[in-house]
Amino acid sequence: MADVTLSNAEGKSLSAQQQRISAVGIFRLTDRVFHNVTFVAALFVLILLGAIILSLIVGAWPAIAKFGVGFLYGERWSVNKEIFGALSPIYGTLMTSFIAMLIAVPIGLGIAIFLTELCPAALRRPIGIAIELLAGIPSIIYGIWGFFTLTPFFGQTLLTAALILAIMVLPFVTAISRDVFSTVPAVLKEAAYGLGCTTWEVAKNVVVPYTRVGVVGGVMLGLGRALGETMAVTFVIGNSHTIAASLLSPATTISATIANEFQESDGIYRSALLELGLLLFVITFFVLAAARIMLMRIERKAGA
Amino acid sequence: MLFRSLASAAIVVASVVGASAADISGAGATFPFPLYAKWAEAYKKDTGNGLNYQAIGSGGGIKAILAKTVTFGASDIPQTLENQAKSGLIQWPMVMGGIVAVVNIDGVKSGDIVIDGATLANIYLGNIKSWDDAAIKKLNPDAKLPSAPITVVHRADGSGTTFNFTNYLDKVSPDWHDKVGVSQSPEWPAGVGAKGNDGVAGTVGQTKGAIGYVEYAYAKQQKLTYTDMINQDGKKVEPTVPAFQSAAANAKWSEATGYYEVLTNEPGAASWPLTAATFILMYKEPVDKAASAEALKFFDWAFASGDKMAEDLDYIPMPAAVVAMIKQTWAGQIKTK
């Protein structure tokens, strides 16, 4: 506050009391400005979010009005007959993400525990950096890689898409788990070791319980990425509006459908695609909300 | 010294501005994209004017011209005259070419196997699931076909190639007509979807046991195995320029109102059954008249000096008489002044 000059209009110096009042006044003013600026910034995000939801609903309205709830469980996606049901993309989205998490979470936790508890110090940094690099690779690269290395073995199928997603979310789960695992106070672990615990017992009974909130956060972040991932999935999933019993059959996801078909869509077709987008929004919202509730439950239980 | 560098900078700026101002913008079919790309390159060399063509698929091309985001749209799906009139558009054929079925079977090379329309329809209906199916074996008694599952590859986006392909299957298979029909984006009974002709070509090249359909130039560029076909006359034909030409010769452009013409399943002993024309769509009364004039200059140039390049890529240029008709259509219908 060096630029605050404490003098009145006539240039006479003021009494100490007056000086203090005017200084406080200026501080109050700058604080209020600061408060308002940050508030507007926060408000902007909310307005933006609202605008996105609103424009999705407006765009999707013709399809919502025409197909109603049937859109959610209709399996048929016929562009030329203008019959649209979202069940197969919804199924594909949830199933690929679920399998991806099933694979990525145990492996990610394993890597994180190895890095924090067992890894020789010399290896810790290289492995850690490798994982962070993995998180930074653009999704299209994963798509191309999966197309050339995984599809020859698994074909363009739901399973291939799930495997690609597992690899993509692995660094998120790992990096966040590693960071939270390293916050466990050494005292706690040493005490457990002192009682004769094995490394497995320390990990299971001390490290993971102490950090579960952070771990769940990492898992949810990964799940968020898996649900919305588009390019990598489009490359390998086969883009077929079908629900098959086998994981080794082509499928589609909400985001892949939109990416493939939006460009040439119009009328009710475009509206149906926008409704798909809205559904993805809602699904992601519910997943994150469920994660929050789960976290609150865990915290309450831990507190009791 | 300073003056010279300033002058050269001014020249650079002028040429950049000049180039971007004259760039012709178009979007649509991936079917003729290899040719349009080659034409654009040669046109730039000849005239200094560039062409910005986005190969986003025929469906996308029609949407783009209706949204007026491009000067011309390109599509392999002919529009009826009423449709053209409704949106104030005019359509003409630009070039013709062949669609081929491409396969990826170990030990099978181009020319080794032949397929007919009914069998192709049954494969795409999901009725024929294995390469050693009796129907395929009957057509190919000498070929070594493995007992491997067939992976059907089709387009995931709205496609003019798909329109022509389903149009053919619809003509030759009553089953296909009942269950699927003709569409740029049909409800596929089987298979995996890929985006664009290049996407289908890539997927077939990458997947053992796959079958797909692409414009011939894509099969050639990516060295894919294509099949021979049995045509309407019951003769076995190879996908060659004379075979495409034989089918294209059946087109009666002078009688086709609004140049609406589909060239699948044409008669003739040498005719390739999956021949197609690709079209350009422009506004009769364009908003940006200068841009439309520039686009027409490009098409005029392409008709005049693009035939050799078209043939090099195995496309069939439009016959001179049809080109004369098209030019009359331009002069009479498109207002660029």
Side-chain angles (χ1 to χ4, degrees):
Chain A
M1 301 305 295
D3 55 339
V4 177
T5 49
L6 299 177
S7 54
N8 67 357
E10 286 89 351
K12 284 186 202 147
S13 67
L14 301 159
S15 73
Q17 179 70 17
Q18 278 171 317
Q19 274 191 12
R20 199 173 303 136
I21 288 170
S22 85
V24 166
I26 289 167
F27 291 157
R28 192 175 291 155
L29 182 72
T30 54
D31 238 21
R32 184 166 302 150
V33 169
F34 183 63
H35 173 265
N36 285 342
V37 166
T38 50
F39 176 69
V40 167
L43 199 65
F44 178 69
V45 173
L46 283 180
I47 292 171
L48 207 62
L49 188 72
I52 291 172
I53 296 176
L54 197 70
S55 66
L56 275 176
I57 291 175
V58 168
W61 191 253
I64 296 173
K66 185 171 176 195
F67 303 114
V69 197
F71 189 75
L72 296 178
Y73 56 79
E75 208 181 318
R76 229 174 132 198
W77 185 269
S78 170
V79 177
N80 47 341
K81 299 199 179 70
E82 299 201 328
I83 300 166
F84 298 104
L87 193 62
S88 65
I90 292 175
Y91 166 80
T93 303
L94 295 179
M95 200 64 185
T96 48
S97 298
F98 176 71
I99 297 171
M101 299 319 286
L102 216 58
I103 299 168
V105 170
I107 297 178
L109 290 184
I111 299 173
I113 289 174
F114 176 75
L115 282 179
T116 49
E117 304 301 323
L118 301 165
C119 183
L123 269 179
R124 203 167 286 176
R125 271 184 72 82
I127 296 181
I129 289 171
I131 286 161
E132 274 153 27
L133 281 178
L134 217 55
I137 296 176
S139 61
I140 190 140
I141 309 281
Y142 281 104
I144 295 171
W145 176 80
F147 182 70
F148 283 113
T149 57
L150 292 181
T151 51
F153 298 105
F154 304 106
Q156 289 195 311
T157 59
L158 200 144
L159 184 67
T160 317
L163 288 176
I164 280 284
L165 285 178
I167 296 167
M168 290 178 72
V169 300
L170 187 62
F172 284 80
V173 177
T174 307
I176 291 173
S177 307
R178 185 198 55 183
D179 288 350
V180 296
F181 286 169
S182 61
T183 63
V184 177
V187 176
L188 282 183
K189 289 190 272 182
E190 280 158 15
Y193 281 122
L195 289 171
C197 286
T198 59
T199 313
W200 160 243
E201 283 166 336
V202 171
K204 184 169 71 105
N205 299 324
V206 178
V207 176
V208 173
Y210 187 85
T211 56
R212 65 192 159 242
V213 173
V215 170
V216 171
V219 168
M220 286 304 148
L221 206 65
L223 184 56
R225 179 166 196 189
L227 284 171
E229 179 47 45
T230 310
M231 272 333 287
V233 170
T234 310
F235 266 82
V236 298
I237 198 165
N239 303 313
S240 166
H241 284 274
T242 47
I243 300 176
S246 165
L247 293 179
L248 284 168
S249 31
T252 191
T253 66
I254 292 176
S255 49
T257 303
I258 296 173
N260 277 320
E261 304 180 18
F262 197 74
Q263 211 155 29
E264 65 262 12
S265 64
D266 64 350
I268 193 80
Y269 185 19
R270 171 152 292 187
S271 181
L273 288 171
L274 283 169
E275 192 177 349
L276 273 186
L278 187 65
L279 276 177
L280 186 60
F281 204 102
V282 170
I283 290 173
T284 318
F285 177 81
F286 273 110
V287 165
L288 291 180
R292 271 292 148 87
I293 292 168
M294 226 157 72
L295 280 179
M296 267 154 49
R297 282 246 179 96
I298 291 170
E299 271 166 6
R300 208 175 302 147
K301 218 185 278 172
Chain B
M1 194 63 195
L2 178 69
F3 174 74
R4 195 190 293 167
S5 63
L6 273 179
S8 63
I11 289 166
V12 168
V13 169
S15 64
V16 167
V17 170
S20 60
D23 260 11
I24 304 156
S25 72
T30 58
F31 175 95
F33 174 62
L35 177 60
Y36 290 177
K38 201 168 178 189
W39 276 349
E41 198 185 319
Y43 187 64
K44 178 108 190 164
K45 224 176 265 168
D46 270 17
T47 65
N49 291 340
L51 167 74
N52 173 17
Y53 182 74
Q54 304 159 38
I56 54 175
S58 295
I62 294 170
K63 291 293 161 304
I65 187 71
L66 287 176
K68 301 187 181 173
T69 55
V70 288
T71 308
F72 72 89
S75 161
D76 320 324
I77 310 161
Q79 302 291 309
T80 58
L81 193 62
E82 303 94 81
N83 252 346
Q84 296 172 36
K86 210 165 54 190
S87 33
L89 287 166
I90 191 132
Q91 159 188 281
W92 70 87
M94 198 64 217
V95 73
M96 296 173 283
I99 298 164
V100 292
V102 287
V103 296
N104 182 348
I105 314 167
D106 275 331
V108 173
K109 298 187 302 296
S110 293
D112 282 0
I113 70 168
V114 61
I115 209 157
D116 63 10
T119 309
L120 197 56
N122 272 324
I123 291 174
Y124 270 83
L125 281 166
N127 296 337
I128 295 178
K129 290 179 162 41
S130 174
W131 281 111
D132 61 353
D133 189 278
I136 305 176
K137 267 188 169 164
K138 197 176 153 208
L139 288 163
N140 303 281
D142 302 328
K144 275 177 73 181
L145 292 163
S147 170
I150 300 176
T151 303
V152 169
V153 184
H154 54 71
R155 290 282 287 269
D157 50 340
S159 151
T161 312
T162 300
F163 167 83
N164 284 293
F165 184 71
T166 53
N167 178 283
Y168 170 63
L169 296 185
D170 191 82
K171 282 174 182 165
V172 295
S173 159
D175 224 17
W176 184 270
H177 177 80
D178 290 343
K179 290 185 179 142
V180 187
V182 185
S183 171
Q184 56 168 314
S185 37
E187 212 176 337
W188 295 103
V192 303
K195 210 165 160 60
N197 262 300
D198 45 351
V200 172
T203 304
V204 171
Q206 193 59 30
T207 314
K208 284 268 171 286
I211 184 165
Y213 56 92
V214 292
E215 199 284 321
Y216 183 58
Y218 288 88
K220 214 172 165 187
Q221 275 172 2
Q222 307 218 8
K223 299 189 174 60
L224 296 173
T225 305
Y226 50 77
T227 70
D228 295 339
M229 293 206 61
I230 307 285
N231 64 16
Q232 201 201 359
D233 287 19
K235 296 282 190 310
K236 179 180 145 178
V237 279
E238 289 174 35
T240 56
V241 170
F244 303 155
Q245 251 158 358
S246 166
N250 285 304
K252 295 174 191 69
W253 293 109
S254 55
E255 290 163 30
T257 45
Y259 297 106
Y260 186 100
E261 186 75 277
V262 179
L263 299 172
T264 60
N265 206 31
E266 291 289 342
S271 292
W272 182 252
L274 274 165
T275 307
T278 186
F279 301 84
I280 301 290
L281 290 161
M282 278 177 69
Y283 280 103
K284 285 183 195 171
E285 291 180 27
V287 181
D288 187 345
K289 294 188 164 53
S292 288
E294 283 300 320
L296 285 181
K297 264 188 224 163
F298 167 74
F299 294 126
D300 190 52
W301 172 90
F303 279 137
S305 35
D307 287 3
K308 174 76 174 55
M309 281 172 262
E311 279 161 2
D312 286 349
L313 286 169
D314 304 287
Y315 290 90
I316 314 298
M318 300 308 295
V322 182
V323 171
M325 267 169 57
I326 292 168
K327 285 184 180 169
Q328 269 179 6
T329 309
W330 290 349
Q333 304 230 35
I334 301 182
K335 295 191 178 61
T336 54
K337 282 192 192 83

